[in-house]
Amino acid sequence: MTARTDTPSAGWRDWLTTDTPQSRAQARLGRAWAGWTAFRRNRLAVAGLLIVLALVVVAALAPVLAPYHPYAQDLNGRLLPPSAAHWLGTDAFGRDILSRLIHGARLTLMIVALVAATAPLAGLVIGTAAGYFGGWVDTVLMRITDIALAFPKLILALAFVAALGPGIENAVIAIAITSWPPYARIARAETLTVRRSDFISAARLQGASSLRIILGHIMPLCIASLIVRTTLDMAGVILTAAGLGFLGLGAQPPLPEWGAMIASGRQYVLEQWWVAAMPGLAIFIVSLGFNLLGDGLRDVLDPKGD
């Protein structure tokens, strides 16, 4: 007698990988499963995903995970090296560096989330409008984009923060304002490749307005490329925010922002190296995680990929 090998997991796998889906939901889930299968074969991409998920978990559970309050000072315990009591040492005010890094993850995640929710959206709107309408609309919008791209991002962000004033909110606004041009370029290029397609012409013949065509047919086709670009750009966003904080134009003391922590420890870098090295290491690890995740998503979502 032959033993049955059917299991619930095998049934679900067969349902997801079938060549003849019975519904739109099944087809979408099947594509998602195929993408996840391809993604998890890239071990570096999975490592990047785990780093990003760890950042989210640490930010969400910061009050639970931090052994000390991030603002609690102990002048009798200034500049202590890493030990059992303070795993990553203390800073010039006797504050626990590990606790400040954990709470600083919240600021980093907030900056990343706000920039990711604003800059790509602005670039998507500008790029699709320029690519779809063409003519003078395309010329005006793309020349504005070219002007924005002509300035180094950090220098332009410094100018905006200097005009708006120092602070974490103004730093986020400045980074978002300087981050949209590459997304507009990508969205315009994607729009130019599809605006004369048969399905766009069919939508026009059915009486669809330009707004409906852009929102319902063109923008969804640009999402995959923008997701990849957004993930890859997050490392740059983190570095720009840290740079503003280091220069005193981002998060203000006593906020535990990682760039500001490096700035406060730069005068001790030779003797009490951990004060600046630990937040620098945190920036490095998180930036590496976003880069690895972006590379993996590019391999999965790139329609030209093998």
Side-chain angles (χ1 to χ4, degrees):
M1 181 180 294
T2 303
R4 290 187 55 140
T5 58
D6 294 341
T7 62
S9 61
W12 275 105
R13 192 176 297 111
D14 293 339
W15 185 80
L16 289 171
T17 58
T18 180
D19 294 331
T20 56
Q22 302 300 314
S23 65
R24 184 175 299 179
Q26 184 180 358
R28 289 175 177 173
L29 290 174
R31 287 196 300 270
W33 174 258
W36 167 247
T37 302
F39 179 84
R40 68 182 182 182
R41 285 197 294 264
N42 187 336
R43 295 185 177 181
L44 290 177
V46 173
L49 176 62
L50 293 177
I51 292 173
V52 174
L53 289 178
L55 174 68
V56 175
V57 172
V58 168
L61 301 179
V64 178
L65 297 177
Y68 300 92
H69 193 280
Y71 304 139
Q73 299 183 15
D74 180 9
L75 298 182
N76 293 322
R78 297 175 62 251
L79 302 174
L80 295 178
S83 62
H86 301 279
W87 288 5
L88 301 183
T90 61
D91 63 8
F93 294 95
R95 297 172 298 194
D96 183 66
I97 293 178
L98 176 60
S99 300
R100 290 180 62 78
L101 287 179
I102 291 174
H103 283 270
R106 286 187 161 186
L107 294 175
T108 299
L109 191 62
M110 181 192 73
I111 294 171
V112 166
L114 290 177
V115 174
T118 53
L121 181 60
L124 178 63
V125 172
I126 294 172
T128 52
Y132 181 80
F133 292 110
W136 68 268
V137 175
D138 184 30
T139 301
V140 171
L141 293 178
M142 285 302 101
R143 295 302 75 78
I144 294 174
T145 303
D146 291 338
I147 292 172
L149 287 171
F151 293 93
K153 184 182 294 185
L154 180 58
I155 301 301
L156 196 57
L158 285 172
F160 280 115
V161 173
L164 297 173
I168 189 69
E169 298 85 1
N170 292 337
V172 171
I173 295 173
I175 295 172
I177 291 175
T178 59
S179 297
W180 66 264
Y183 302 107
R185 286 285 203 179
I186 293 174
R188 176 181 180 270
E190 297 279 356
T191 303
L192 289 176
T193 61
V194 301
R195 69 173 182 175
R196 302 196 183 280
S197 300
D198 292 340
F199 70 92
I200 298 295
S201 300
R204 289 198 192 98
L205 291 175
Q206 292 176 352
S209 64
S210 297
L211 180 61
R212 182 175 179 181
I213 292 174
I214 292 175
L215 293 177
H217 298 281
I218 295 179
M219 282 188 176
L221 297 176
C222 302
I223 296 299
S225 299
L226 291 184
I227 289 175
V228 174
R229 179 65 193 237
T230 301
T231 308
L232 291 171
D233 280 355
M234 288 305 100
V237 169
I238 293 171
L239 293 175
T240 302
L244 293 175
F246 182 85
L247 296 173
L249 297 175
Q252 299 299 296
L255 288 177
E257 197 274 326
W258 294 346
M261 291 176 64
I262 295 177
S264 65
R266 67 183 184 274
Q267 57 185 317
Y268 311 106
V269 70
L270 295 180
E271 296 181 357
Q272 289 82 23
W273 53 268
W274 56 87
V275 180
M278 295 307 177
L281 182 62
I283 293 173
F284 166 76
I285 292 174
V286 173
S287 299
L288 178 63
F290 275 108
N291 281 334
L292 295 176
L293 177 60
D295 286 337
L297 291 177
R298 180 176 56 192
D299 294 339
V300 172
L301 299 177
D302 183 8
K304 305 178 187 64
D306 294 332

